């Protein structure tokens, strides 16, 4: 589009109060970040100073903090600013001093990336006072900048005595409503929280002339220890201090390519499925986030990590990680570290492996589904619910060369007792990952075969009754089938163990779904098409109520010659079998159970009277 000749370029006007409100409500999670931003700017200034004077001994330059009821002050020995720098960087929203003097090529050495950190101070203060002297231009005078929340600022030069050494001092005058974040004890606590792993010395003036170290020790993984055991204990103690639990084990993390070091602490207790813990991520020593879920893959919810990295990019708020190729590569590399730990424990520490799987078998199962190496290592050790109780597949396969797998928990509960008595080996495949993993057992144990449990397989293992018994019960079975036809349920008489079980309801979720779908289709279509569907329905899978001739109650029931009582007893046996299956009851089944109970009670009372 061509602009008219009389059109002039104009500059955007920034409402500073509106911008600060935007920061406080949409960018930063809490006003407490003001101190992190001040410390971060100080660290970046020290980094530039070290680049300027690489021969300076470590610890020469540092950061000092002070707070009382009137002010909060952060002082550093960093590279400092000239008057021109102040006009260029402090008075221009969004511009960072780290873009100057060729530093843009060295941005990986700095934490801050967005040049808006100083604005966060307006979350707690109405005035920011900066005094700075440049190390790049030693003969330049000190300069003072005062910025106010209304968007105005002043700049003036000061005599050399106002700031004898290079560096910067930032002083805040807190608002009355910001006392929660600017009290001396809180400032010290925040400094320790954000800066405990910083590589530059940071001290806090306690008001009594004492400089209390904020980060007295280096990160625990960067220290030297007399023995590997001492190192392991120190890392575990640090994990307990940070996360508040005693780790089952600690996994040391070291990715030199991205300058990442830290530890993963294995949780000692089971984590609910799908629940993810946040991880503590430091960038160049500064705490970035305590809830960085994105640093590890979803399946790794059995650990909590604390790491310090050089090359990870923070988001604009510097409270989360920027999702890019580097983060994806780090996530994959850390996942390999966790896999390597599982492999090492599986090979060398069976006691730890047992305790780990006892607490985190679901997490490992989710990993084994997609990771062939973990599958080969750990599938035989993973616990499953079976007809032999809770045991590993390796133990189960020793006694059952053919393993049958149910498709749901309710199906397993229907058949478990009878299948066990019949000598069948059945695994509950209704839990997350279990069915898929059980079917992969032949990959590890080729001598074992695995198949889905079919109702016909189970009924084939139930013994038929003799012909005379079946003929004697024929009238009862006919009445029972008629009474249960509304539930698409057939009735058969067999013998099986345990004898205490009067009946077994053999059904599947898929069969029930198919019957319901067909019935609804018939009801909706009607006419000729409904008749066709009705004919097809005769071939749809039906439920089967199998009565146990070994049970005394059933032996009595099949001799009932009173039709209504026979029907009621069949309904009661169906209801009891449905309850034992532990599946959700349909309204009609609940009604049947209540009605059959009341009818039997009424019959018993009439008989007694």
């Amino acid at each position: 589009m061509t602009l008219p000749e009389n059109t002039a370029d104009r500059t955007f006007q920034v409402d500073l109060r509106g911008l600060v409100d935007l920061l406080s409500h949409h960018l930063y999670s809490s006003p407490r970040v003001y101190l992190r931003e001040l410390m971060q700017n100080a660290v970046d200034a020290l980094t530039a100073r070290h680049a300027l004077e690489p021969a300076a001994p470590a610890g020469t330059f540092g950061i000092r903090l002070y707070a009382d009821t009137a002010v909060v002050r952060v002082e550093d020995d960093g590279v400092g600013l000239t008057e021109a720098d102040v006009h260029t960087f402090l008075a221009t929203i969004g511009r960072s001093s780290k873009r100057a003097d060729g530093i843009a090529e060295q941005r990986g050495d700095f934490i801050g990336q967005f040049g808006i950190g100083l604005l966060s101070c307006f979350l707690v203060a109405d005035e920011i006072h900066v005094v700075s002297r440049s190390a790049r231009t030693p003969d330049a005078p000190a300069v003072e900048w005062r910025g106010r929340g209304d968007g105005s600022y002043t700049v003036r030069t000061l005599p050399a005595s106002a700031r004898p050494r290079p560096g910067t001092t930032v002083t805040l005058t807190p608002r009355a409503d910001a006392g929660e974040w600017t009290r001396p004890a809180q400032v010290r606590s925040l400094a320790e929280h954000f800066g405990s792993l910083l590589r530059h010395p940071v001290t806090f003036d306690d008001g009594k002339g004492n400089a209390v170290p904020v980060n007295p020790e280096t990160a625990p993984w960067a220290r030297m220890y007399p023995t590997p055991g001492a190192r392991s204990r120190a890392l575990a103690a640090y994990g307990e201090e940070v996360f508040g639990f005693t780790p089952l084990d600690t996994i040391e993390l070291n990715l030199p390519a991205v300058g990442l070091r830290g530890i993963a602490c294995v949780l000692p207790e089971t984590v609910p499925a799908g629940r993810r813990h946040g991880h503590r991520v430091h960038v160049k020593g500064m705490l970035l986030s305590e809830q960085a879920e994105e640093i590890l893959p979803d399946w790794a919810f059995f650990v909590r990590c604390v790491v310090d990295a050089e090359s990870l990019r923070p988001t604009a708020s510097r409270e989360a990680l920027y999702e890019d190729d580097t983060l994806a590569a780090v996530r994959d590399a850390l996942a390999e570290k966790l896999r390597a730990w599982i492999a090492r424990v599986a090979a060398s520490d069976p006691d730890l492996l047992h305790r780990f799987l006892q607490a985190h078998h679901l997490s490992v199962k989710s990993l084994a589904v997609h990771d062939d190496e973990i599958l080969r290592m750990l599938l035989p050790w993973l616990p499953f619910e079976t007809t032999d109780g809770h045991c590993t597949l390796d133990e189960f396969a020793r006694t059952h060369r053919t393993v049958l797998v149910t498709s749901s928990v309710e199906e397993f509960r229907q058949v478990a007792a009878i299948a066990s008595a019949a000598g069948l080996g059945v695994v509950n495949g209704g839990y997350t990952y279990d069915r898929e993993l059980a079917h992969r057992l032949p990959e590890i144990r080729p001598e074992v075969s695995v198949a889905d449990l079919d109702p016909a397989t189970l009924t084939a293992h139930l013994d038929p009754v003799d012909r005379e018994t079946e003929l004697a019960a024929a009238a009862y079975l006919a009445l029972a089938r008629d009474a249960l036809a509304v539930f698409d349920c057939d009735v058969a008489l067999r013998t099986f163990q345990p004898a205490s079980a009067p009946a077994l309801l053999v059904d599947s979720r898929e069969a029930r779904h198919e019957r319901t779908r067909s019935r609804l289709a018939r009801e909706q279509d009607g006419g000729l098409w409904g008749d066709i569907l009705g004919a097809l329905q005769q071939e749809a899978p039906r439920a089967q109520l199998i009565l146990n001739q070994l049970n005394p109650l059933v032996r009595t029931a099949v001799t009932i010659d009173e039709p209504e009582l026979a029907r009621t007893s069949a309904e009661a046996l169906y209801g009891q079998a449905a309850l034992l299956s532990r599946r959700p009851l349909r309204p009609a089944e609940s009604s049947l159970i209540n009605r059959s109970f009341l009818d039997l009670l009424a019959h018993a009372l009439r008989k007694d009277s």
Side-chain angles (χ1 to χ4, degrees):
M1 182 178 67
T2 304
L3 294 176
E5 294 183 2
N6 61 348
T7 300
D9 289 338
R10 298 181 183 274
T11 302
F12 283 107
Q13 300 299 308
V14 177
D15 179 355
L16 188 57
R17 290 190 185 278
L19 183 57
V20 170
D21 181 70
L22 181 66
L23 294 178
S24 63
H25 288 95
H26 300 285
L27 185 63
Y28 295 125
S29 62
S30 165
R32 69 176 185 166
V33 299
Y34 82 92
L35 190 67
R36 184 198 65 196
E37 297 290 344
L38 287 178
M39 294 174 65
Q40 190 164 279
N41 287 343
V43 169
D44 287 339
L46 291 175
T47 302
R49 180 78 182 271
H50 276 289
L52 191 66
E53 303 177 36
T60 302
F61 310 128
I63 302 170
R64 296 166 292 281
L65 294 88
Y66 172 81
D68 58 24
T69 57
V71 298
V72 174
R73 185 165 63 244
V74 177
E75 181 179 357
D76 67 69
D77 300 316
V79 72
L81 300 169
T82 63
E83 182 178 0
D85 293 334
V86 167
H87 282 291
T88 302
F89 303 119
L90 297 190
T92 305
I93 302 300
R95 179 172 293 179
S96 172
S97 61
K98 292 176 283 295
R99 296 190 178 96
D101 298 327
I103 296 180
E105 289 77 18
Q106 308 169 26
R107 293 182 68 83
D109 295 333
F110 299 94
I111 305 171
Q113 301 262 342
F114 300 91
I116 59 175
L118 198 62
L119 286 180
S120 66
C121 296
F122 286 119
L123 299 177
V124 297
D126 284 328
E127 182 174 287
I128 305 172
H129 180 214
V130 178
V131 175
S132 187
R133 184 172 179 182
S134 175
R136 289 196 184 92
T137 313
D139 56 346
V143 60
E144 175 192 73
W145 179 87
R146 287 185 183 271
R148 288 169 286 276
D150 60 4
S152 62
Y153 70 94
T154 59
V155 178
R156 66 187 182 107
T157 57
L158 302 174
S161 59
R163 177 82 201 194
R165 298 184 302 171
T168 301
T169 301
V170 180
T171 305
L172 308 182
T173 304
R175 295 194 305 271
D177 62 354
E180 177 184 359
W181 308 109
T182 58
R183 292 192 304 268
Q186 179 71 300
V187 170
R188 177 179 174 181
S189 175
L190 290 175
E192 293 171 346
H193 178 72
F194 289 121
S196 62
L197 298 185
L198 287 175
R199 292 82 182 268
H200 304 285
V202 183
T203 58
F204 178 81
D205 187 337
D206 64 0
K208 301 176 182 177
N210 300 316
V212 181
V214 167
N215 53 343
E217 295 184 296
T218 58
W221 46 80
R223 303 173 204 161
M224 300 297 293
Y225 298 91
T227 65
R231 182 179 186 84
S232 179
R233 288 189 294 273
L235 294 179
Y238 180 73
E240 183 172 5
E241 176 187 345
V242 170
F243 296 122
F245 63 83
T246 302
L248 192 64
D249 197 12
T250 55
I251 307 165
E252 193 157 358
L253 307 174
N254 187 10
L255 303 177
V258 291
L260 182 147
R261 297 193 67 182
I263 57 172
C265 297
V266 182
L267 289 153
E269 297 177 349
T270 302
V271 180
R275 177 180 172 185
R276 298 185 65 189
H277 286 293
H279 308 286
R280 286 176 66 98
V281 175
H282 299 251
V283 175
K284 302 176 183 68
M286 184 70 73
L287 178 63
L288 180 77
S289 173
E290 296 175 274
Q291 299 296 325
E293 295 181 355
E294 62 274 16
I295 194 74
L296 287 180
D298 291 346
W299 55 259
F301 52 79
F302 59 88
V303 296
R304 293 192 70 183
C305 292
V306 52
V307 299
D308 185 21
E310 294 285 339
S311 301
L312 295 179
R313 290 176 58 194
T315 59
S317 66
R318 293 192 281 275
E319 294 184 299
L321 293 171
Y322 185 80
E323 189 68 47
D324 58 8
D325 291 343
T326 300
L327 179 58
V330 166
R331 185 163 49 238
D332 291 342
L334 292 179
E336 286 302 317
K337 295 286 185 182
L338 299 184
R339 288 190 183 94
W341 175 83
I342 293 174
R344 178 180 61 80
V345 170
S348 62
D349 197 336
D351 179 62
L352 177 58
L353 177 65
H354 174 73
R355 287 184 286 128
F356 170 65
L357 292 179
Q358 197 172 34
H360 302 296
H361 59 88
L362 181 61
S363 181
V364 177
K365 285 178 179 179
S366 70
L367 176 58
V369 166
H370 307 290
D371 191 308
D372 291 343
E373 183 180 353
I374 295 297
L375 178 79
R376 287 190 296 273
M377 286 189 302
L378 295 183
L379 181 59
W381 301 94
L382 292 171
F384 289 78
E385 185 179 9
T386 74
T387 46
D388 290 352
H390 283 84
C391 61
T392 66
L393 285 184
D394 194 55
E395 295 169 332
F396 195 63
R398 291 174 192 167
T399 53
H400 301 283
R401 293 304 185 189
T402 299
V403 175
L404 302 174
V405 187
T406 65
S407 60
S408 66
V409 174
E410 66 186 54
E411 184 181 6
F412 178 81
R413 289 170 176 167
Q414 287 176 31
V415 306
I418 288 86
S420 179
L424 297 175
V426 181
V427 171
N428 186 349
Y431 295 114
T432 307
Y433 311 119
D434 283 14
R435 184 167 177 264
E436 185 174 354
L437 288 173
H439 274 283
R440 298 191 67 180
L441 181 60
E443 299 176 28
I444 314 301
R445 298 283 183 268
E447 69 278 9
V448 177
S449 63
V450 179
D452 285 328
L453 176 66
D454 187 279
T457 304
L458 180 63
T459 55
H461 282 76
L462 305 182
D463 296 327
V465 297
D466 59 72
R467 185 166 182 78
E468 291 76 11
T469 302
E470 187 157 12
L471 285 174
Y476 179 86
L477 295 176
L479 287 170
R481 293 185 184 107
D482 183 63
L484 301 179
V486 66
F487 299 113
D488 294 315
C489 182
D490 196 7
V491 183
L493 186 64
R494 298 286 189 273
T495 63
F496 54 86
Q497 295 292 339
S500 59
L504 169 67
L505 181 60
V506 179
D507 199 6
S508 68
R509 183 181 303 172
E510 292 77 12
R512 291 196 304 275
H513 175 74
E514 177 62 24
R515 292 195 299 271
T516 301
R517 187 196 64 77
S518 298
R519 184 172 62 254
L520 291 175
R522 288 200 316 274
E523 292 172 353
Q524 291 174 1
D525 290 308
L528 177 61
W529 184 239
D531 292 338
I532 295 173
L533 288 175
L536 294 176
Q537 171 65 11
Q538 301 302 315
E539 301 179 5
R542 305 186 72 196
Q544 192 172 32
L545 180 67
I546 302 175
L547 304 181
N548 187 2
Q549 176 65 18
L550 297 180
N551 183 266
L553 178 63
V554 172
R555 287 201 300 269
T556 301
V558 296
T559 63
I560 296 173
D561 55 8
E562 185 180 336
E564 285 305 315
L565 181 58
R567 292 174 64 91
T568 300
S569 66
E571 290 172 344
L573 287 169
Y574 175 89
Q576 189 258 0
L579 287 172
L580 288 179
S581 72
R582 301 183 188 179
R583 63 169 170 79
L585 296 177
R586 290 172 286 179
E589 291 173 329
S590 298
S591 177
L592 174 138
I593 291 171
N594 292 332
R595 186 180 68 252
S596 62
F597 170 77
L598 293 175
D599 288 349
L600 289 174
L601 180 60
H603 176 81
L605 291 175
R606 286 196 303 271
K607 184 177 180 181
D608 290 341
S609 62

